[in-house]
Amino acid sequence: MGFETSNDRGAPAAGDEPLQPVKIVISGGFAVGKTTFVGSISEINPLTTEAAMTSASTGVDDTSKVQTKTHTTVAMDFGRISLGGGLVLYLFGTPGQARFQFMWDDLARGAIGAVVLVDTRRLADCFPAVDYFEQLGLPYIVAVNCFDGLQFHEQQAIREALSVPRDVPLVFCDARERTSTKESLIMLVEHALSRAE
Amino acid sequence: MTAGATPDRPDEPPQMRIVRPYALTGGRTRSGASDLPIETLVRTSARGREVGPKLQLEYRTIAEMCEEPLSVAEVSVHLGVPLGVARVLVTDMSEQGLVDVHKGRTDRPNQALLERVLHGIRDL
């Protein structure tokens, strides 16, 4: 690559292109397939960034009145999809446990919406994320990751067990499949559009 | 010497990357008035290309990698520093005109933008 002397004439058009990043949050319980989901459609191999957080210790420490601080490092996987015309979509996978909610505030700001991934064996893992996005008013869909497929009656049972509001789209997906991931993302953006009026 | 200065830490910012990440930012984890959204796209400016080789290592590396626009998140990964550090470095460079930043939205994307995104995903 290297540096070249700046020259107003003949600068690459790409350098003048207005850029617009957008993002979608991918949340869900531990090992539910968030990175797989992101990787199935990302144009780069999913990267892992570390957000170091400092927070006042909430531990019980009666021997000291001094407030201690703890440093927490949270790994976050993300991918990128260039959509043309300077539009770049980032997918951020974030841990779904309630104790990571401090990260969600940052990620949810300005986001198109969220995909809450669900493992059929651990349905309850998605509840903190669902509650959070519901409370925030961020558009979200629930995507049940079921790579072996499900019978219709199983789908109905899961839908009931999740008890998400009726206006929240629910999709059965295979996080390994690009087409499936693409459909989930389309469903989310359509849902966000329907609420953008 | 201020009362808060710690005697065991040199005031001079180290030059090379055998240092703790936050030493690069003088201990700052937050930059300026507002944090850059994580998806903010960073692109090296003409000035950044011009003076890039003379910059300190981290700035120079960022100037090189952002010839093609990268997000703050990617800068963080490629530079091997936490997000907070990447934000501070990019903000510093932006203030010096070395990079252009294209921020993500802080409010909900509007209908026109959502439609562009929708068409973009459908065309994948």
Side-chain angles (χ1 to χ4, degrees):
Chain A
M1 204 184 293
F3 294 105
E4 288 176 17
T5 310
S6 157
N7 188 338
D8 286 340
R9 195 177 53 81
D16 302 327
E17 193 177 49
L19 300 170
Q20 175 67 64
V22 288
K23 67 184 163 187
I24 287 174
V25 180
I26 315 296
S27 192
F30 179 72
V32 70
K34 295 184 290 288
T35 308
T36 307
F37 184 94
V38 170
S40 69
I41 199 160
S42 173
E43 67 196 25
I44 55 172
N45 284 327
L47 297 169
T48 304
T49 184
E50 289 188 344
M53 301 299 299
T54 305
S55 57
S57 172
T58 53
V60 181
D61 188 4
D62 285 339
T63 61
S64 170
K65 297 285 189 232
V66 179
Q67 191 179 43
T68 55
K69 288 191 169 180
T70 51
H71 290 271
T72 316
T73 304
V74 184
M76 188 164 51
D77 293 328
F78 67 96
R80 181 183 70 201
I81 311 169
S82 297
L83 297 178
L87 191 59
V88 185
L89 170 62
Y90 283 92
L91 305 178
F92 289 104
T94 178
Q97 295 93 316
R99 69 177 186 278
F100 295 121
Q101 281 186 7
F102 63 86
M103 291 176 66
W104 303 351
D105 290 336
D106 205 18
L107 284 178
R109 195 175 307 122
I112 290 171
V115 175
V116 177
L117 270 181
V118 174
D119 185 322
T120 53
R121 293 157 300 180
R122 299 190 302 265
L123 294 181
D125 283 5
C126 76
F127 292 159
V130 165
D131 290 345
Y132 176 81
F133 296 128
E134 194 66 43
Q135 193 183 346
L136 198 66
L138 187 76
Y140 71 96
I141 66 165
V142 173
V144 181
N145 189 13
C146 48
F147 43 79
D148 289 328
L150 286 172
Q151 300 295 321
F152 180 73
H153 70 272
E154 292 174 302
Q155 294 192 6
Q156 290 306 107
I158 286 172
R159 191 178 286 272
E160 281 171 29
L162 284 172
S163 68
V164 291
R166 200 169 302 167
D167 60 333
V168 174
L170 192 150
V171 63
F172 293 88
C173 73
D174 181 342
R176 299 167 305 179
E177 288 290 332
R178 185 174 188 273
T179 316
S180 170
T181 301
K182 182 176 160 181
E183 279 170 16
S184 298
L185 294 179
I186 288 173
M187 181 177 279
L188 171 66
V189 180
E190 282 176 340
H191 180 53
L193 254 175
S194 75
R195 294 185 33 177
E197 264 65 60
Chain B
M1 180 73 70
T2 58
T6 45
D8 58 340
R9 190 174 301 167
D11 290 331
E12 295 276 323
Q15 297 297 311
M16 303 301 285
R17 284 291 321 289
I18 313 173
V19 298
R20 297 170 64 83
Y22 288 97
L24 299 174
T25 65
R28 290 170 298 158
T29 56
R30 303 207 157 239
S31 52
S34 64
D35 281 338
L36 292 176
I38 183 172
E39 72 277 19
T40 298
L41 286 168
V42 186
R43 180 160 54 193
T44 306
S45 67
R47 176 170 153 72
R49 279 195 295 276
E50 199 175 323
V51 302
K54 299 174 199 149
L55 299 172
Q56 74 175 68
L57 183 60
E58 289 73 28
Y59 288 2
R60 192 168 73 227
T61 310
I62 292 173
E64 280 170 3
M65 68 171 77
C66 291
E67 288 276 343
E68 294 293 326
L70 289 179
S71 64
V72 171
E74 286 162 296
V75 169
S76 150
V77 173
H78 296 319
L79 207 59
V81 298
L83 263 178
V85 173
R87 278 177 166 142
V88 173
L89 294 174
V90 166
T91 302
D92 286 351
M93 291 183 75
S94 170
E95 283 168 358
Q96 294 171 43
L98 302 170
V99 295
D100 297 319
V101 295
H102 302 258
K103 289 191 185 183
R105 301 182 64 92
T106 49
D107 56 346
R108 208 56 61 71
N110 61 24
Q111 192 177 344
L113 181 55
L114 288 172
E115 274 167 3
R116 282 180 64 199
V117 172
L118 187 57
H119 291 143
I121 297 175
R122 282 192 176 133
D123 288 348
L124 286 175

